Amino acid sequence: MSVRAGAGVRSLARIVARDDGRGGTSLPVLESDGPLALRRTRATGAEARVMLVGAMSGPLGGDHFTVEGRVEEGARLSVGSAAATIALPGQAKGDARYDVRLVVADHGELHWLPEQLISAQGSDLYVTTRVELAPTARLVLREEQVLGRVGEEPGRLTSRLTVRVAGQVVLDQELSCGPGAPGGWDGPAVLAGHRAVGQLIVVRPEFATDPVTAGVLGEGAALVPLAGPAALVTAVAPDALRLRRLLDEALSSLGQA
């Protein structure tokens, strides 16, 4: 098990989902250590479900967490988290890192739906999420970020999301907020004073021939088609509750609960 020390914690969690040949999905690999703990929960139909549980506080300054998930051909996997992740300042120097690496094979399906990431005052976190999808893979991925706990200023938070389908980039974007971030992050063109920001990316093969129509989805949310079989919803809100409501409504409007 990882132990937090002056240099920070290194923690790795790995998930592999595989079609079990009986109409369900098995999990031949479910490994985690230190602050990251993976727990299998009750399956629904052909879909295996996994919960990511924070066994320690963090990530703190100097920590480096990595989550790797692979959905093999024909398997279905849903991953959530038991509670919000809170980025906190730490004794170790340097920023904290949280890397997510996801791969989905042909005819596989992944729902990646963690709880919010909260950037506490004094923290410095860099998050990267990279997703590689085969041509017929399906994805629902949600990211939600809250800048500061109630009544406090945020820490610095930088997040980058990259999604590739059949080797082609359909989304590659980065957002940096909080102290030390490039100017304008809180201006009218970005967060406009809001403290919660999120996005939902949905990838379906049928979007290649029947793309979604761009539009506004209520106050603070917008839907756009991407250059590939994918759609992106971006939302800002005054708080986490309103942000979740916007993204849930957006997912419902796309016909997927």
Side-chain angles (χ1 to χ4, degrees):
M1 176 175 289
S2 301
V3 178
R4 178 161 281 124
V9 166
R10 302 296 182 267
S11 186
L12 171 65
R14 297 177 61 235
I15 310 167
V16 175
R18 180 174 298 161
D19 184 349
D20 66 6
R22 303 187 302 273
T25 297
S26 65
L27 297 172
V29 177
L30 196 65
E31 302 173 346
S32 55
D33 63 10
L36 300 175
L38 297 172
R39 300 289 183 265
R40 180 166 188 164
T41 60
R42 185 182 298 273
T44 301
E47 180 183 76
R49 293 191 168 189
V50 173
M51 193 69 67
L52 182 61
V53 180
M56 295 168 61
S57 61
L60 279 63
D63 289 354
H64 189 171
F65 296 176
T66 303
V67 180
E68 298 176 351
R70 187 171 84 246
V71 179
E72 297 184 351
E73 185 169 357
R76 296 181 61 186
L77 174 66
S78 178
V79 179
S81 57
T85 297
I86 305 178
L88 297 165
Q91 295 181 348
K93 294 182 179 180
D95 60 2
R97 292 189 61 93
Y98 200 128
D99 297 326
V100 178
R101 304 289 179 262
L102 307 172
V103 178
V104 186
D106 274 318
H107 306 293
E109 183 169 351
L110 173 63
H111 289 202
W112 191 265
L113 303 170
E115 294 300 308
Q116 296 92 353
L117 170 61
I118 301 173
S119 174
Q121 187 172 15
S123 64
D124 188 355
L125 177 64
Y126 188 75
V127 182
T128 63
T129 302
R130 296 178 185 171
V131 188
E132 298 282 349
L133 302 168
T136 59
R138 303 171 74 89
L139 173 73
V140 177
L141 183 146
R142 181 183 68 211
E143 285 192 342
E144 298 172 305
Q145 295 153 359
V146 180
L147 304 181
R149 293 170 292 192
V150 176
E152 74 173 9
E153 292 298 310
R156 178 167 180 174
L157 175 62
T158 301
S159 63
R160 183 166 185 173
L161 172 60
T162 306
V163 179
R164 293 181 174 87
V165 179
Q168 300 298 311
V169 175
V170 298
L171 178 68
D172 188 0
Q173 66 178 25
E174 183 172 288
L175 176 65
S176 186
C177 304
W185 67 269
D186 202 21
V190 187
L191 297 189
H194 293 93
R195 283 297 177 264
V197 57
Q199 52 197 353
L200 178 75
I201 182 165
V202 179
V203 179
R204 299 179 188 164
E206 56 266 32
F207 284 167
T209 54
D210 186 19
V212 302
T213 301
V216 175
L217 302 176
E219 185 177 354
L223 168 67
V224 295
L226 299 177
L232 174 68
V233 176
T234 303
V236 294
D239 55 49
L241 182 62
R242 176 58 181 162
L243 178 65
R244 175 64 59 83
R245 187 175 301 139
L246 284 169
L247 294 179
D248 283 350
E249 290 172 355
L251 188 55
S252 179
S253 74
L254 289 169
Q256 188 156 348

